[in-house]
Amino acid sequence: MSYQQSAMMKKTGALLLAGAVLATGFGSPAPSAAASTTVPAGKTAAATAGKAPATAAAFVKAMEEAATLAGVPFSMHTPMGTTVKRKDAAKALQQWLKLEPATETFKDVPDDADYAGAVSALNQAGLMKGYTESLFLPNAVLTENDVAVLKDRIYDYIKPFVLEEATITEIQAAMTQGKITSKELVQKYLDRIEKYDDQGVSLKAVLTLNPEALNIAEALDEERATKGARGPLHGIPVLVKDNFDTNDMPTTAGCLCLKDSVPSTDAEQVKRLKDAGAIILGKTNLHEFAFGITTSSSLGGQTLNPYALDHYPGGSSGGTGAAIAANFAAAGLGTDTGGSIRIPSSFNSLVGIRPTIGLSSRDGIIPLALTQDVGGPMARTVSDAAIMLDATVGYDKKDLSTAYSVGRIPSSYTDYLDVNGLKGARIGVATELIPSTKAEEKEVADVINHAVTELESLGATAVPIQIPNLAEINKYPSLSGYEFKFQLNDYLESLGDEAPYHSLSEIIASGQFDKSQEQSMKARDARATLDTTEYKDIVLKRTQLTRDSLLKVMADHHLDAIIYPTSTQAAGVIGEGQNSGGNNRLSPFSGFPAITVPAGFTSEGLPVGMEFLGRAFDEGTLIKLAYSYEQGTHHRQAPKFTP
């Protein structure tokens, strides 16, 4: 077992307890400021009761082991005495790590103390923090648990930066520590795209790269140096599905007909990402106009699944799915009308969030059916998805639906990242959504049924349920066949004089599109109006029936969420079709949020995702449950074809 793996396994029990010691003190009442430099023996004993003091030799040995595992030189002197005080540990570590002193505000650390600079440096680096915001307890003795946590933190601090599977938080830490710049990070991702998307396995996941990405990154590096980081997305490269408007790259929906169409403004979610300091590295392939779930387009061709190159990546956001799975960027954006964020996330061992309709703006997204359309994050971890969600939610006057989100957005969705989030939770298991009659379904069902046992082992109560009126709900169609023509025409009109075409009719006449979609496009173009009883009944009755049915079963069983397989079948072989089942309808038909999280793999190594569905604007709860499951199982694996 590697040191990283062992560190991961110690996130509970003594490690967390010791982490609290270093971060916030010893668990006893805070001493007075006057007494803080000389902690009474009784208080020290009480604070460290049940924890043996670490010897100086053990402290040095632990730091040397961290250095060896990280592959960096070790030259730290051994503190005097048989045990180690916090102030002496800080001095030794500062000398070894060559940390620059920072502003120090602890009341019990005199400015003229010979250890003041070391304390400030270790605190600034996040390696040794105070007992409270104002107390450091410099004379407190390190325990064995304290040293174990220090070893983990030192290892994380000194280990070389590894791009593959790096989280947004890890990338930010690496940039803060000077291990990598944003410009270097962008280049590393560009190198991977060239190696695996343009050449080699040639995933065909990325349609367009931002020619200014390196310059933007350099400017953000300079901003970080002079003003500090804007937030967790500062200097972070992301990829967005190519139906989000970008004012510096074409927005094509994968169609040849729009290959030169550059909108004058960014989509609202893109704008918010840029404002947060993110770098839009490029645009990803999609199923043309988001019509399907296999991700093929006239502009980008067929995107491949990085876990099995002869299989579909899911869709319609399959380009984002394959790209983020293959580590072409830190995270990405997709859109979802029926299952287009969640299916490719499931097929690529990713986390995908379909937000509540109205949580995030759809302005500047080429529409498929606005009654169901949303945009949302796709990422390798729940925490990354939560960070992306934070940056993209909120009211936008250009999308009236977002008015419903006012007052319903937490200060940060990352506050819900609770490793114990499943303890005491009641999870409805929608058994009728886990079919197993076909061989293709059974593989997925086996993974999901095992996931249910994992939920229970992590403290949740699994409640078998049946969703009322499910058969009637599933009889209703998606509205993409109704709304697309009218809303696409509105979008083309919004492009103004620069629009290459002005209607779906003109696009069809041009022949510049995926011919396999011709009949579907013509059928949509033939629809004369939305002012019909049929359409209005679907909008009103389907939505109400689905919402009422879901709310009733959740209330009857006191549920926090409902789970089921995101797709009833794993990724299909290219050329043999793709079936995902109808589970993905519940979220768009109700407008309620859903999050898919990796649940395991089939015997052929194909990823399987489990979906959590919740109440409107309750993304925080879903994130808490999904994060707890993710941290308790760690099912995600990077694809072997893009090492």
Side-chain angles (χ1 to χ4, degrees), residues 190-205:
L190 290 174
D191 291 345
R192 284 188 63 82
I193 291 170
E194 181 181 12
K195 183 176 181 179
Y196 295 119
D197 205 59
D198 301 337
Q199 305 171 18
V201 295
S202 189
L203 293 181
K204 296 184 179 179

Side-chain angles (χ1 to χ4, degrees), residues 515-558:
K515 296 302 192 298
S516 69
Q517 296 188 173
E518 184 169 5
Q519 293 308 311
S520 181
M521 293 174 71
K522 287 182 175 179
R524 286 164 164 80
D525 196 44
R527 193 168 293 278
T529 179
L530 293 180
D531 189 16
T532 65
T533 301
E534 176 194 24
Y535 172 72
K536 293 175 182 177
D537 282 350
I538 296 172
V539 172
L540 297 174
K541 294 181 180 179
R542 185 194 71 176
T543 303
Q544 193 65 49
L545 177 66
T546 311
R547 287 179 179 176
D548 289 349
S549 299
L550 292 171
L551 290 174
K552 175 175 171 53
V553 74
M554 293 186 76
D556 285 349
H557 295 280
H558 309 287

Side-chain angles (χ1 to χ4, degrees), residues 561-595:
I562 298 170
I563 64 99
Y564 44 83
T566 303
S567 171
T568 57
Q569 297 184 21
V573 176
I574 293 173
E576 296 183 9
Q578 177 68 63
N579 192 337
S580 64
N583 295 355
N584 48 64
R585 295 183 176 189
L586 291 175
S587 177
F589 282 13
S590 64
F592 292 173
I595 180 171

